[in-house]
Amino acid sequence: MIKIKLFKIFCIILAAGSICIIPVNVMEASRAHGVVKNTSTAQDINTGINQRMKKKVTRNNNVSVKKKENGIIVDTSLSAGDQKKLFKQYKEYEIKNKDGVLYYNNKLVRCFADIYGVESYNANGGKTINSKSIYSYFNENGDVDVCIKRENIKNGEKWSFGKITNWTLSLEDIAFAMPEKVINKLLAESVKKGNYNDIEVLFIYADKESINSAVKQIMANGGYKIIEGLAWNMNIEPSVLGRVAIELIEKSQYDVLTNIAAFLERKDLEEVAKILYSKKEYNVFSGISWAFDKSTIDKYAKQFADKGEFEALYNIAWNVSSSTIGEIAKQFVENKQYEALQKIICFVDKEETDKIARKLYEQGDFEEIGNIAWNISREVLEELAKLMTDKEEYNGLMYIIPFIA
């Protein structure tokens, strides 16, 4: 499975010993004056689960300057004069502005963001750092991504070209600061070009329509392993992932199906179980049986028993409810299907096994008592041994003596 990358630019909240890590996008266009409403992804460090949340971030008081020329999008609130100061600093890092087009080491820049943090403290002493981008740039024809990071300021202070503390060449450091329309466009292009390293980053910030379209195209391109690596992303709609699961069965991509089973909804898992059973893909069925709820697994366990699919039953028996596996065991005794009984007896509880042992004694099937004796309680074994001794049934006694000696 593709390794999930963790993003490095965050809003960090420390309060009363707890930590919350929130990447903040403050560069999305077309927002109400002075306020940006952003949908971002928060990662709970205790569970590792990514969750969508809404937040408000105050923008700089200056009017935002946005322009789009020849596929280039710039978003900033700085004046033209201040921008010139930025470009002068950027030259020290091999970033040059030629007639409004950015280059890094003579390569066209695709995504660029200049970021700093604003520190604030709550009444309990908890520290919050809100990341802000003072300059965002996108060129759809670019190749390289660059991120500039500056020293933080305290809440209430005026930002004044703080010292550059770090710079990276990584989309994951920049994506949160890019407008959503840029992210959506990048995602579509990345899918088209098969640039799957970028896709897993962009899935965090793209809108649902773009994600659904990307998933459909990736499947059409045969990128099944890519879907496996993206299934953890909670931005993929469950209904879309359900359709993916069905298509994976049609394409016999069972390894990928197994690895995304944990992310499927119950109704989709029920449909998956139904199809796998009908196709007699019992090994695949048992491989994802851990994902099925008890009612589903119990239903198919009974069907496997009735159809004589004992190997399939054995492979899922550990997940079958004790009452159902007990019923099946009794059914095997009544039908004298002793080989099948031996396969599942380890999943039958002691009380039910003791009842089966007494039933086998009544039927005179002494050898079968010996075959399951290791799962019969000592008390019942001694009880049966006494009965056999009293009735001089020594041929039966020989099967259980080793277990009570």
Side-chain angles (χ1 to χ4, degrees):
M1 181 180 291
I2 296 177
K3 183 179 180 181
I4 300 171
K5 296 185 179 179
L6 298 177
F7 292 81
K8 302 176 182 177
I9 306 300
F10 304 96
C11 163
I12 304 176
I13 302 175
L14 305 176
S18 64
I19 302 176
C20 179
I21 303 179
I22 308 173
V24 182
N25 180 352
V26 297
M27 294 305 296
E28 186 165 334
S30 305
R31 299 302 188 191
H33 179 68
V35 172
V36 176
K37 293 181 180 179
N38 171 50
T39 303
S40 65
T41 302
Q43 183 181 46
D44 185 324
I45 62 174
N46 293 319
T47 64
I49 298 175
N50 288 274
Q51 300 175 327
R52 299 287 284 183
M53 61 168 56
K54 295 282 187 180
K55 63 171 68 60
K56 294 183 179 180
V57 181
T58 303
R59 184 189 286 277
N60 295 335
N61 293 326
N62 297 333
V63 177
S64 179
V65 179
K66 294 179 286 289
K67 64 179 180 179
K68 180 176 181 180
E69 295 178 1
N70 302 323
I72 294 176
I73 299 174
V74 173
D75 193 351
T76 183
S77 58
L78 296 179
S79 65
D82 284 343
Q83 289 182 53
K84 287 183 179 180
K85 293 181 182 179
L86 290 182
F87 298 146
K88 185 176 180 180
Q89 283 188 327
Y90 297 158
K91 284 184 179 180
E92 300 177 21
Y93 298 89
E94 302 300 327
I95 303 167
K96 298 179 181 179
N97 181 347
K98 297 179 181 179
D99 298 323
V101 180
L102 293 187
Y103 293 81
Y104 171 75
N105 276 339
N106 298 318
K107 294 180 181 179
L108 279 173
V109 173
R110 182 179 64 168
C111 293
F112 173 81
D114 192 335
I115 301 165
Y116 71 101
V118 179
E119 299 177 357
S120 59
Y121 300 83
N122 61 30
N124 297 319
K127 182 180 180 180
T128 300
I129 301 177
N130 289 315
S131 292
K132 293 190 176 183
S133 178
I134 59 174
Y135 187 89
S136 169
Y137 169 96
F138 169 70
N139 183 350
E140 61 186 25
N141 298 314
D143 298 310
V144 63
D145 302 315
V146 188
C147 179
I148 293 287
K149 300 179 183 179
R150 297 178 181 269
E151 61 185 358
N152 299 338
I153 66 170
K154 289 184 172 55
N155 190 32
E157 291 181 351
K158 183 179 179 181
W159 182 81
S160 58
F161 295 91
K163 179 182 177 182
I164 294 176
T165 59
N166 190 21
W167 66 279
T168 60
L169 302 175
S170 173
L171 178 64
E172 64 183 290
D173 289 321
I174 304 171
F176 84 94
M178 305 307 295
E180 191 176 69
K181 60 182 178 180
V182 168
I183 295 296
N184 294 338
K185 184 175 182 63
L186 279 174
L187 178 58
E189 288 297 315
S190 296
V191 171
K192 184 178 179 181
K193 296 177 181 178
N195 187 354
Y196 295 122
N197 287 332
D198 284 355
I199 289 174
E200 60 179 334
V201 174
L202 298 168
F203 256 54
I204 297 292
Y205 303 102
D207 63 24
K208 289 193 178 296
E209 184 178 350
S210 297
I211 289 174
N212 294 344
S213 177
V215 169
K216 183 178 180 180
Q217 190 59 52
I218 291 170
M219 288 295 291
N221 294 343
Y224 309 119
K225 283 291 184 181
I226 304 305
I227 295 297
E228 177 183 324
L230 296 171
W232 63 272
N233 192 302
M234 296 185 72
N235 289 341
I236 300 179
E237 292 181 354
S239 60
V240 173
L241 206 56
R243 291 195 295 272
V244 165
I246 303 305
E247 188 172 340
L248 288 172
I249 296 176
E250 294 171 354
K251 302 293 184 180
S252 298
Q253 294 293 323
Y254 298 129
D255 287 345
V256 179
L257 174 67
T258 300
N259 289 328
I260 72 166
F263 306 102
L264 297 175
E265 290 193 326
R266 176 175 176 173
K267 62 182 180 62
D268 295 316
L269 284 168
E270 290 175 351
E271 184 64 18
V272 165
K274 179 181 177 181
I275 296 173
L276 290 175
Y277 181 81
S278 66
K279 292 171 70 70
K280 296 186 177 181
E281 292 288 354
Y282 301 143
N283 286 337
V284 183
F285 185 101
S286 62
I288 62 173
S289 63
W290 53 267
F292 301 141
D293 62 71
K294 287 296 182 185
S295 61
T296 298
I297 205 70
D298 282 1
K299 177 178 72 174
Y300 285 103
K302 292 176 181 178
Q303 292 183 32
F304 285 140
D306 293 340
K307 281 195 169 186
E309 297 290 349
F310 303 135
E311 190 67 27
L313 173 63
Y314 173 73
N315 288 334
I316 66 170
W318 62 273
N319 199 31
V320 179
S321 67
S322 58
S323 59
T324 297
I325 204 70
E327 284 179 36
I328 292 173
K330 286 190 291 184
Q331 175 183 321
F332 286 162
V333 172
E334 291 170 2
N335 296 335
K336 295 185 179 296
Q337 295 170 309
Y338 297 133
E339 186 175 345
L341 175 67
Q342 292 172 37
K343 282 184 173 292
I344 67 167
I345 197 65
C346 60
F347 303 105
V348 180
D349 62 38
K350 290 287 185 182
E351 184 178 354
E352 195 61 49
T353 303
D354 287 350
K355 292 179 181 178
I356 289 172
R358 292 189 178 103
K359 181 68 175 178
L360 290 172
Y361 176 78
E362 291 174 6
Q363 295 177 177
D365 293 319
F366 302 142
E367 183 177 354
E368 299 309 322
I369 296 176
N371 287 334
I372 65 169
W374 56 272
N375 203 43
I376 301 172
S377 70
R378 185 177 182 83
E379 290 77 12
V380 170
L381 285 174
E382 290 176 348
E383 172 191 322
L384 296 178
K386 186 176 186 305
L387 287 171
M388 291 175 182
T389 301
D390 293 344
K391 295 182 179 181
E392 299 183 349
E393 296 168 327
Y394 302 123
N395 60 327
L397 187 62
M398 62 179 288
Y399 291 112
I400 63 174
I401 284 296
F403 298 94
I404 56 177

